[in-house]
Every structure is written in structure tokens, then in C-alpha cells.
Amino acid sequence: MSKTIIAAALCLMLAAGAAGTHLPGGIPAVPGAPAPLKPKPGGEHERPEPVEQGFSIRLDADPRLQAPVRTLVAPRTQTFALTFAEAMDRTSVEAELRKNAEPDGAQPGMAPSKEPVRLKLAYRWHSDRKLQLEVEVLSGQPGPYPVYGYHVDANGARTAAGSELSGQPVFETVLQQPASVWKVPVSGGAVVRTGELTEPYAFQGLQAGSRYVLATKATGYCNCDAPFPKLYSLYDLDKGMMTDVSFKLMASYQGPGDLYADPRGFFYGAEAAGAAAKELPEGAVAKRITIGGYVHGSGWSKDGTKVLLAVSAAKEQDENLDLVIYDTVNLTAQRLPGVLKGRVEHSQVSDDLIPVTFRDNGREVRMALREAETFAEIPYRYSWSTGKVTRWNPPMKEAYSSEYTETDDGLYRLYQNGDVYTREGALKFQPPPHSSLSSWLAGSHRAIVQEFVETGSGDPVTFHYELKTYNADTNRVAGAMAKLSGQSYILGTDAGGESVYVVSAAAPEPLK
């Protein structure tokens, strides 16, 4: 197995474990997957604009998904709602949907399917303008990676008046098995699925030990790094309940300086307040924050009483920001003008800005900007006791990021590169080959280890992961507690430090 493949897999483990995220398209980039395409320069990946002619195709399982779109859907039987601008020739519509449903030929950047997709279509007309189309996948089911699916395409059909449809939007599907979030006990025992999800989602963790995580669906797919507009949801790990919403949820807010901070760990713009009141599950009351200007990132304090924000006068000003500390109890704001010198980090694959993140350990808050020319990180700390912002020097030299998580007592720090250091800056541990460390377990000096295990050669290679724990006091890695499929990733740990949350289509296998 090549060093390149192993390195790619370990990079995935670090990214997914440390940040609680994964790559566009809802799957991680893993060994044997098709090579990513290079995105086009600029912002979001190009996609057709909706046609304003009264024609629409929506997925019943998630009506937010509407043609024109190329997106991930589960390979189960799906129903689509088609609305036409005028009365249609029903026989002609059914014939063209059948003809266009199974596209031929390989698709750029897609994993090859072992067999072509074959479908069974069923039609239920509610009127000459409204059709409910049922699609059952008979063959061409996805394996570990998504495969190019089917089209819902009515172009070529005739209206009742005899004219032919052309240029109408198409709903293109990419088939992927939906993943669930599993709760894996560290001490061994039964693995519990938090809830059964019927459609593919990508997940993003919030604060450590949080009951809630963000979930997204992309409205495009290319198996590349290009960003697509997203649809947002909130997932309750305790209840196993997914709540789809019509507005953007953010772990770190970007937007005008009028926003809501929800104590469950996320943010949204003030323009979404009405929708949030109707769509979000009942819980803690969100606090409105009105500070003006443009916010380039936000985060909650450890005690949940304050929100920290990186603010400029306008969106175009992405350098030399103010630090604003908003007290959600007393409803007051403290502003430290221009203390965050440097530039907001820019995405390497688009024109997007990456929001500033805040990490509070109860004593100080960490954040970082970048040098405009060299892109070198400028790490900052805000002290709760002195009220001042200062720069600090991480122990790793020339590292791209100084981001770390630490044990509850602050004695040990796990940096984004996977190395463990003491609070004083001494190197304590480097993970062995093919392994990465992710989250600390609450109330302990133990961290989760994810080890890559190759189980066979070929193209693609076959492999799985094993979950272990690292003890910083003894500097040792314990035996495996669970076996994960190769397409799994760690989302985080629970508040009690007893379990690990794993995202996987297949159930993790306990090894204790």
C-alpha cells in the first residue's frame, strides 16, 4: 500500500475527528475513492439557475431539494412531486421520464458502479399538471462510495396542446447509503444507534459534550472540493431526532451584526428569527445580539453566559478586527477595538472566508488570524482575568494551525496535527503510524485513538478502523474497543466521558 494512500486516510481521520466535519458530498476522501476533481476558480461551484416557468421537481423526502440539482439521495424507493406549467399529455410524460431516467456513460469524478442503475417507475397523476413519480432502484446500488444514480427529467414530453418541453430543470441523483450516529461505550458493551436516518447527511459537532450537532445536505455534488449551497438541520443525539430548517445554522456565525445566539451551541441571522421560532425544537431561549458591522466568527464561553465575536465595520474588511464580548445575562457588550491584527483565513478552494473560531477553557479564550502575505497563523489569547488580548507561541514550529483541545484540568493538550503536549509545552506523545488522536474524554486524561487497519490489497484497498484510548498519564495506548467500517468518522464524545459518537452506515463492532 502506498504512503500516499495511508497519508490521505490519516489526514481524513485528523480532519473528521478534530473538527467534527467531513468533506463536500457527505463522504470522506478515503483510499480507493475516485480522484477529486479540481474546482473552478471563484466561489460556489457553478450550477443551473431555476427556470421560472411554473415547472418544478421536488423530492418528497426533503422538499427543500428542488431541480435543478445534483445531490445525494438514499437508494431506497423515492417519491418526487412534479408540477407542470400547463396541462400535459400524460402518456408522453411517462415515456420521456422512462427514457431519461437511466443515463448512459461514465460521469466525471464519480466512482464506477459495478452494474448500471436499473429502475422501476410508478406514476400517480393528481391532475394533468401534477404528477407523483415513484422511483425504485432495482440494480446499481452503491457500495462504500456514492455512485451516479438516475435522473428525473421530463424534457421531450408534450403538453396537451402539442408543444414539446425543453430546457426544463433536471433532478440528478447520486446514490449513497445513509449513515447513522452510533454511541460506542469506551468500556465496552452494546453499541447504540442514536436514531435511524433514511437520507444522507453530513455532520458537524458543536461544543464538546453537546447534546446537539449540526447536519447539512449539499445542493450539488461533484466529488471535489468545490463548495455548494447547503441545507441545514439540527440533530438531537439524545432523542435521535433530525429537525430540518429553512435557514442557515452556524457553529461560528458569519454575517451582519444582528444575530441570535442559541445556548445549544449555534447561531443564525436575525432575519431567520420568525422561521426559527416555528421550525427549531423547543429548548433554551436564543439571545439576540445587535452590535452592527459584520461578524467574521463567533463562539460561546465555557460557562455559557457570554458570546465572543470577531467584528469589522463591513464584510469587505477582513483585516484588523474588533473583539466583542457580549454578556447574554446582563445584555451588555464590551468591545476591544482592532486588537485582532491580521486577516481572516481564506478558503484554498473558493472565495469563501473561513470564520474565526473561539476556544474557551474557562481561563482564557483562543482565536487566530492569518498574515496577509505569508498566510502564517497569528494565534491570540484573551484572558478573562486581565481582559487583554495577547499573542502566544505554540510549541510546534511552522505548524499551519495552533488549534488544540485540552483535558478538563488543562494539563495536556492535543494539537490538530495529532501530537500531545503538556501545558508547559513539552512534547508528550506522537501517535504511531496509521493512527490519529481526536477527542479527549471528559473528566480524564484519556483521548480517543483511531487506527487505520488495511485488510486487503486491490483497487480500492479494503480497510477498517479500530477505536482505542490513549492515556496521557501512562503514555500508553490501550487495546481496541471497537471496529469501524472504512467510511466511518468520529463526531465527538459525550458529556460524561463514557462514550464516543461515530458516524457510520454500518454498525460499529464492539471488541470488548
Side-chain angles (χ1 to χ4, degrees), residues 309 321-325 334-336 339-340 358 382 389:
L309 309 103
L321 310 179
D322 299 346
L323 175 63
V324 175
I325 304 165
Q334 176 190 3
R335 184 182 292 262
L336 304 179
V339 295
L340 301 180
F358 295 86
Y382 170 78
V389 173

Side-chain angles (χ1 to χ4, degrees), residues 112-433:
S113 178
K114 294 182 179 179
E115 55 182 346
V117 63
R118 292 292 179 260
L119 310 170
K120 178 182 178 182
L121 305 183
Y123 313 89
R124 178 180 298 174
W125 289 91
H126 297 285
S127 71
D128 286 343
R129 292 184 57 243
K130 294 185 180 294
L131 168 64
Q132 194 172 35
L133 174 68
E134 185 178 277
V135 182
E136 179 183 354
V137 178
L138 302 177
S139 67
Q141 291 277 346
Y145 307 112
V147 297
Y148 193 66
Y150 53 86
H151 289 179
V152 180
D153 180 1
N155 284 293
R158 294 187 305 276
T159 68
S163 59
E164 183 176 299
L165 292 184
S166 64
Q168 299 300 318
V170 177
F171 198 117
E172 300 182 42
T173 68
V174 178
L175 303 178
Q176 182 186 36
Q177 298 291 352
S180 295
V181 181
W182 304 84
K183 193 172 185 179
V184 182
V186 175
S187 60
V191 172
V192 178
R193 179 158 56 181
T194 61
E196 186 170 358
L197 302 176
T198 57
E199 291 297 319
Y201 287 88
F203 293 90
Q204 178 183 5
L206 296 171
Q207 300 112 316
S210 174
R211 168 180 168 177
Y212 297 92
V213 294
L214 301 185
T216 59
K217 291 181 180 179
T219 58
Y221 186 90
C222 67
N223 195 34
C224 63
D225 292 331
F228 290 95
K230 294 179 180 179
L231 303 174
Y232 294 85
S233 306
L234 185 67
Y235 186 66
D236 186 331
L237 292 167
D238 287 354
K239 293 184 177 180
M241 183 176 68
M242 183 72 76
T243 301
D244 297 332
V245 299
S246 61
F247 55 96
K248 186 175 184 178
L249 299 175
M250 290 166 271
S252 180
Y253 177 82
Q254 286 177 301
D258 190 2
L259 63 144
Y260 279 84
D262 192 298
R264 287 171 286 195
F266 54 88
F267 304 86
Y268 52 89
E271 75 282 352
K278 297 176 183 177
E279 299 171 14
L280 286 174
E282 292 184 1
V285 177
K287 303 292 186 178
R288 186 171 186 175
I289 300 175
T290 306
I291 54 175
Y294 189 87
V295 180
H296 289 278
S298 63
W300 280 93
S301 62
K302 186 176 182 179
D303 64 6
T305 65
K306 298 177 180 64
V307 174
L308 298 103
L309 309 103
V311 184
S312 67
K315 180 178 181 180
E316 295 71 26
Q317 181 197 337
D318 60 355
E319 296 182 281
N320 304 328
L321 310 179
D322 299 346
L323 175 63
V324 175
I325 304 165
Y326 186 85
D327 188 319
T328 63
V329 178
N330 298 315
L331 306 182
T332 58
Q334 176 190 3
R335 184 182 292 262
L336 304 179
V339 295
L340 301 180
K341 306 295 185 184
R343 190 178 76 165
V344 177
E345 185 172 359
H346 287 228
S347 169
Q348 297 181 22
V349 298
S350 73
D351 292 335
D352 293 341
L353 299 180
I354 297 175
V356 177
T357 56
F358 295 86
R359 303 285 187 244
D360 180 21
N361 62 12
R363 300 177 299 276
E364 59 190 18
V365 185
R366 302 187 312 280
M367 68 226 78
L369 271 69
R370 296 263 169 200
E371 296 282 1
E373 299 298 328
T374 65
F375 309 115
E377 184 187 58
I378 310 173
Y380 290 102
R381 286 173 171 168
Y382 170 78
S383 170
W384 288 113
S385 60
T386 67
K388 295 181 179 180
V389 173
T390 56
R391 292 183 60 168
W392 67 284
N393 295 316
M396 315 91 62
K397 303 303 179 184
E398 299 182 356
Y400 184 77
S401 173
S402 64
E403 173 61 26
Y404 66 83
T405 59
E406 60 187 337
T407 54
D408 289 344
D409 58 9
L411 187 59
Y412 299 109
R413 297 171 177 177
L414 170 58
Y415 283 83
Q416 199 171 69
N417 68 352
D419 294 346
V420 177
Y421 285 78
T422 65
R423 179 167 47 200
E424 293 73 26
L427 178 62
K428 177 74 174 179
F429 180 78
Q430 290 180 305

